[in-house]
Amino acid sequence: KANFMSNKKVVVVGGGAAGMMACIAAARNKADVTLVEKNERLGKKLYITGKGRCNLTNACETDKFFDNICRNSKFMYSSFNAFTNFDLMYMIEDLGCKLCIQRGNRVFPLSERSIDIINVLEKELKRLNVKILLDTAVNDFEIKTDVCKGLKSPKIESDCVIIATGGLSYPTTGSTGDGHRFAEKLGLRVEKCTPSLTPINSDNSFVKELQGLSLKNVNLSIFDKKNKELFSKQGEMLFTHFGISGPLVLTASAIVGDILGKENLRAKIDLKPALSVEQLDARVLRDFEEQKNKSFKNSLNGLLPKTVIPVIIGLSQIKEDTVVNQITAKQRRMLVDIIKGFELNLTSLRGFNEAVITRGGVCIKEINPKTMETKRIKNLYFAGEVIDIDAMTGGFNLQLAFSTGYAAGYAASKV
């Protein structure tokens, strides 16, 4: 087998999505590849993505895909077009893992087990004779006159090095900002890192009462202090002991996160977006007429989830024991307004422990978008979340990792 290897020696630091893909792309191009991973196994973060189901990519068209990249989407043109979402899907199925497309074009392994994706990637690494060093932390690089010659600690000589160490989210998986530290030490610019796709804190006292409440088909709108709408979308969300979470909230965090770092924001939840104010008022009136001798607190069960009723009653300022037929039209309209615009004060994002991804990272101006090689140091490449690129939930971020990993691996093998 050695005869078929090119004389290109490639070292990849980090055995996540970007790192494993970089190894596969380089080794398929006949490079001699070594993968260095500080964890005891590969794909630790991949294992927990999509709640352990692994939302691998998104099967939408290219234009739609780029609409879902939050930052530096133009940087992704070359690498994405060289290795698209459909290329990834074809490769994974070709390696023996069947995929399925679910709501919102999200792509999962048919088994809905992330371990199956990791297993086929590992199997391919072994088939390609990639040397895998686990439990091995990288501390330093061999750089001579702006050319990377391999690793200094541990000592591994190579023609080039690819850094794919991830961001700062879920630090228990090993994403502890190693790549950013390496970049800064080597004189490269690193953009400020903040959590993204993360739950949001609220200081409203009733939040704790609503803990565990899951809401489907609601509309979440977020406004700044000048009342400018920053975000508005329909979907699912949930209340937690600290504030709000769920798909809608994670998406919102990517859009309002920068502003939320500087000022508090106001959220409005429309609990009944399918009904206009007039339609909801008519519905409440009908419910009240059917239950006219009931007390107010027992009249809303058909309309709202049980947990939220005491909070809505408190906000409506209608006494809970008021008999329904004594509620005035004005009071009823106020109740309708609260249901259509349930307000929350948002104070801050949650931390990296709960963030799906990291916003920020190695500045894209430092990197050649076609090859992922740094412009200042020859034969040094970056791939994946360590770079200042991020996207919405739905498989987009993993695709960014796979596309940049593929670009780096392929380019490094041709050095």
Side-chain angles (χ1 to χ4, degrees):
K1 287 232 172 188
N3 301 341
F4 296 104
M5 290 291 185
S6 72
N7 55 358
K8 300 292 175 275
K9 284 191 171 149
V10 178
V11 171
V12 178
V13 183
M20 287 194 278
M21 186 56 77
C23 290
I24 290 168
R28 282 185 175 184
N29 213 27
K30 307 287 185 281
D32 177 359
V33 184
T34 302
L35 173 57
V36 185
E37 168 56 59
K38 72 175 183 183
N39 284 319
E40 73 289 353
R41 59 188 163 95
L42 300 179
K44 216 165 170 182
K45 191 170 172 188
L46 205 53
Y47 187 72
I48 60 168
T49 55
K51 296 189 176 118
R53 293 161 59 220
C54 193
N55 182 188
L56 189 71
T57 186
N58 194 287
C60 65
E61 292 307 314
T62 302
D63 290 356
K64 187 87 200 292
F65 195 98
F66 276 86
D67 287 344
N68 279 278
I69 300 177
C70 304
R71 263 153 85 103
N72 301 324
S73 58
K74 284 186 180 149
F75 176 82
M76 286 302 304
Y77 286 167
S78 296
S79 61
F80 179 81
N81 286 317
F83 189 71
T84 67
N85 43 353
F86 296 102
D87 293 332
L88 174 66
M89 289 161 69
Y90 178 80
M91 178 194 272
I92 296 295
E93 291 215 309
D94 192 47
L95 291 175
C97 181
K98 287 264 178 285
L99 300 173
C100 63
I101 299 172
Q102 297 185 6
R103 195 163 46 88
N105 281 318
R106 293 174 305 162
V107 179
F108 293 90
L110 190 59
S111 63
E112 296 200 344
R113 286 161 25 106
S114 55
I115 192 71
D116 293 349
I117 299 287
I118 297 165
N119 286 344
V120 295
L121 293 173
E122 279 191 313
K123 195 174 164 191
E124 181 66 354
L125 293 173
K126 286 186 179 122
R127 185 188 75 80
L128 294 164
N129 293 324
V130 172
K131 290 187 278 302
I132 300 169
L133 306 176
L134 297 173
D135 289 312
T136 307
V138 170
N139 300 306
D140 212 352
F141 298 82
E142 195 67 63
I143 311 279
K144 286 179 182 159
T145 57
D146 291 339
V147 179
C148 184
K149 301 283 192 181
L151 305 183
K152 193 186 278 182
S153 164
K155 183 85 178 126
I156 304 174
E157 283 181 26
S158 68
D159 295 295
C160 42
V161 172
I162 299 169
I163 297 174
T165 49
L168 288 158
S169 52
Y170 296 123
T172 49
T173 64
S175 302
T176 50
D178 296 354
H180 303 143
R181 282 193 293 280
F182 298 151
E184 283 177 335
K185 199 172 169 185
L186 297 168
L188 305 176
R189 186 171 150 199
V190 176
E191 302 294 349
K192 184 181 177 228
C193 292
T194 55
S196 192
L197 302 183
T198 182
I200 299 177
N201 289 314
S202 167
D203 59 5
N204 291 91
S205 55
F206 57 70
V207 160
K208 283 190 172 61
E209 294 172 53
L210 298 176
Q211 183 179 345
L213 171 66
S214 182
L215 299 171
K216 286 186 175 166
N217 301 321
V218 295
N219 195 87
L220 174 67
S221 302
I222 299 177
F223 303 85
D224 67 10
K225 58 184 176 195
K226 290 180 180 161
N227 217 24
K228 181 186 166 198
E229 187 178 88
L230 306 172
F231 174 86
S232 186
K233 203 171 178 190
Q234 205 163 316
E236 294 174 32
M237 59 175 287
L238 67 113
F239 281 88
T240 64
H241 64 286
F242 55 76
I244 49 174
S245 188
L248 255 188
V249 177
L250 300 191
T251 301
S253 76
I255 291 163
V256 306
D258 290 348
I259 299 163
L260 196 52
K262 300 179 194 110
E263 62 175 81
N264 284 6
L265 300 175
R266 186 170 54 90
K268 269 178 124 168
I269 304 164
D270 183 347
L271 296 166
K272 296 286 174 189
L275 302 176
S276 67
V277 170
E278 289 70 25
Q279 287 169 326
L280 181 59
D281 189 41
R283 161 80 197 269
V284 173
L285 181 61
R286 196 169 66 242
D287 284 3
F288 280 3
E289 280 170 354
E290 282 169 13
Q291 316 176 67
K292 55 176 180 268
N293 297 319
K294 275 191 176 177
S295 63
F296 179 42
K297 67 178 176 191
N298 295 325
S299 68
L300 299 172
N301 293 338
L303 189 66
L304 296 166
K306 210 167 161 182
T307 334
V308 82
I309 292 172
V311 178
I312 297 272
I313 286 172
L315 293 171
S316 75
Q317 295 173 357
I318 304 168
K319 289 195 172 73
E320 59 173 30
D321 295 324
T322 307
V323 178
V324 165
N325 64 9
Q326 290 174 355
I327 292 172
T328 66
K330 191 181 172 187
Q331 285 175 316
R332 192 182 71 239
R333 188 56 184 254
M334 204 164 131
L335 171 68
V336 166
D337 287 344
I338 291 163
I339 295 168
K340 291 289 288 175
F342 185 74
E343 290 203 8
L344 272 179
N345 188 38
L346 306 180
T347 55
S348 58
L349 297 177
R350 298 294 281 176
F352 284 113
N353 284 345
E354 295 167 68
V356 175
I357 54 151
T358 305
R359 166 169 275 205
V362 179
C363 177
I364 55 159
K365 288 178 180 158
E366 301 279 11
I367 300 168
N368 177 332
K370 273 199 174 77
T371 62
M372 300 296 138
E373 185 179 25
T374 59
K375 293 173 183 175
R376 298 194 210 187
I377 301 167
K378 202 169 160 38
N379 301 344
L380 179 70
Y381 299 74
F382 282 89
E385 204 184 329
V386 69
I387 304 170
D388 182 21
I389 41 173
D390 64 275
M392 292 295 182
T393 55
F396 301 100
N397 286 289
L398 263 183
Q399 181 65 48
L400 300 189
F402 285 122
S403 290
T404 54
Y406 186 91
Y410 182 75
S413 68
K414 296 195 301 179
V415 169

